[in-house]
Amino acid sequence: MKTQPAALVRETDPETAQHKAGISDGIALEVPATLPFEGFTYLKKEWVDQEDNIESVTFGMALGHLNSPVNWANTETFTMMPEWGTAPLRRSWVVRIPTHYEGAERYLFHYFFQIRYTNGTEKVGDNFTQLVMPKTIEYIDHSGSCVHIRLHWSLSNWAYPQDTELEVEGLEWGNEFSVSHVAYRSGDRLYEHGRMAAVKKIDMPRVFKAQIWAPRGEEINYCFSMLSVDQHGNQQQKWDNNGGENFKMTI
């Protein structure tokens, strides 16, 4: 996956430019461009009490580059939430990790657990490291009716479901009708009609793809939501969930 250069926006209206303090006509402003499918992945980390008198458990994490030692100075910590009623007591926390770390699409996810006891003493457990990496998901539309295809997926047996839009091959990321704009233009009639027209120009069968990120070895549960748009701009939805069984794979 390639990093796209930042887009340039140029102020061309002299009257508008005069009202912007410190910005004169003809000045180019750099606007950061998103990487394809840039965002976050959510995964649930769990701790099960194996001894008595545990007051709390803290989850600590740090991200790092491949082949580099972990820098614990950048540690983030979270107090894990007890799941009352479980025996032995289970504690959990949903962790948000980015799709990219300092521009790299593969990176290391380091973490540890710190136990605090009711008598005030503490113990830090072993350090764990997982490789976070991308996985490409593909859906081939033979019907020709799909305008949007969304991946509905989760790690850890649907512990925290999330949605990722697939993009059709032939439509560039950042195009005005790309799914890169869907977060704030979904349901916009002009956008939906424009995207429908752009998708219809692409030869059949149409291949939709997305990338998701997860620690290597994690099982991914997923299914697809297909959206078509009629001539009035109304969306119609259907699902492909493998006959009710959903799809599974290990990254």
Side-chain angles (χ1 to χ4, degrees):
M1 186 171 63
K2 297 180 179 179
T3 301
Q4 294 195 352
L8 292 179
V9 177
R10 185 174 296 275
E11 180 62 72
T12 57
D13 183 353
E15 293 184 3
T16 303
Q18 291 174 359
H19 294 290
K20 295 184 178 180
I23 302 177
S24 61
D25 184 28
I27 297 297
L29 303 177
E30 190 170 289
V31 178
T34 60
L35 295 166
F37 308 107
E38 185 175 17
F40 296 93
T41 293
Y42 297 86
L43 62 151
K44 185 178 182 180
K45 288 298 183 182
E46 295 182 322
W47 170 273
V48 179
D49 288 6
Q50 299 295 334
E51 51 189 328
D52 297 330
N53 302 317
I54 295 179
E55 181 179 283
S56 63
V57 176
T58 299
F59 178 83
M61 58 172 281
L63 307 180
H65 290 290
L66 302 182
N67 303 315
S68 297
V70 57
N71 181 5
W72 291 115
N74 298 324
T75 301
E76 295 181 81
T77 58
F78 311 92
T79 301
M80 305 188 78
M81 300 297 293
E83 297 183 5
W84 302 114
T86 57
L89 182 62
R90 186 182 303 272
R91 305 167 192 263
S92 62
W93 187 261
V94 175
V95 182
R96 187 180 79 165
I97 58 174
T99 55
H100 301 76
Y101 174 66
E102 296 182 347
E105 64 175 18
R106 290 175 178 242
Y107 63 89
L108 298 178
F109 169 45
H110 308 277
Y111 63 94
F112 63 90
F113 299 93
Q114 182 172 350
I115 304 94
R116 181 178 178 82
Y117 298 92
T118 54
N119 63 6
T121 61
E122 295 183 345
K123 179 176 69 177
V124 178
D126 295 333
N127 299 332
F128 300 92
T129 299
Q130 291 181 287
L131 170 64
V132 178
M133 57 188 293
K135 179 71 174 181
T136 299
I137 306 293
E138 180 179 288
Y139 191 95
I140 301 177
D141 174 30
H142 294 278
S143 70
S145 64
C146 295
V147 178
H148 292 281
I149 298 181
R150 292 173 185 157
L151 181 72
H152 186 63
W153 64 285
S154 177
L155 304 176
S156 306
N157 194 26
W158 298 105
Y160 199 96
Q162 56 194 104
D163 294 316
T164 299
E165 287 270 352
L166 282 73
E167 185 58 282
V168 63
E169 284 190 342
L171 197 59
E172 292 186 3
W173 190 265
N175 178 284
E176 62 179 319
F177 301 119
S178 164
V179 295
S180 58
H181 303 293
V182 78
Y184 55 92
R185 294 202 66 186
S186 179
D188 180 327
R189 286 179 177 267
L190 290 177
Y191 169 74
E192 298 296 357
H193 277 291
R195 179 169 174 82
M196 179 172 60
V199 171
K200 294 295 185 184
K201 293 178 182 178
I202 298 172
D203 293 338
M204 292 285 295
R206 299 186 183 113
V207 180
F208 289 75
K209 291 184 177 181
Q211 279 190 309
I212 59 175
W213 276 255
R216 187 171 65 178
E218 290 279 351
E219 184 179 71
I220 300 171
N221 291 269
Y222 65 100
C223 57
F224 298 95
S225 168
M226 285 82 72
L227 291 174
S228 57
V229 180
D230 63 23
Q231 60 182 350
H232 303 294
N234 299 314
Q235 293 185 345
Q236 299 173 336
Q237 183 183 39
K238 62 180 180 179
W239 289 84
D240 183 354
N241 62 356
N242 193 27
E245 298 294 325
N246 293 315
F247 301 94
K248 293 183 180 181
M249 68 175 178
T250 301
I251 195 166

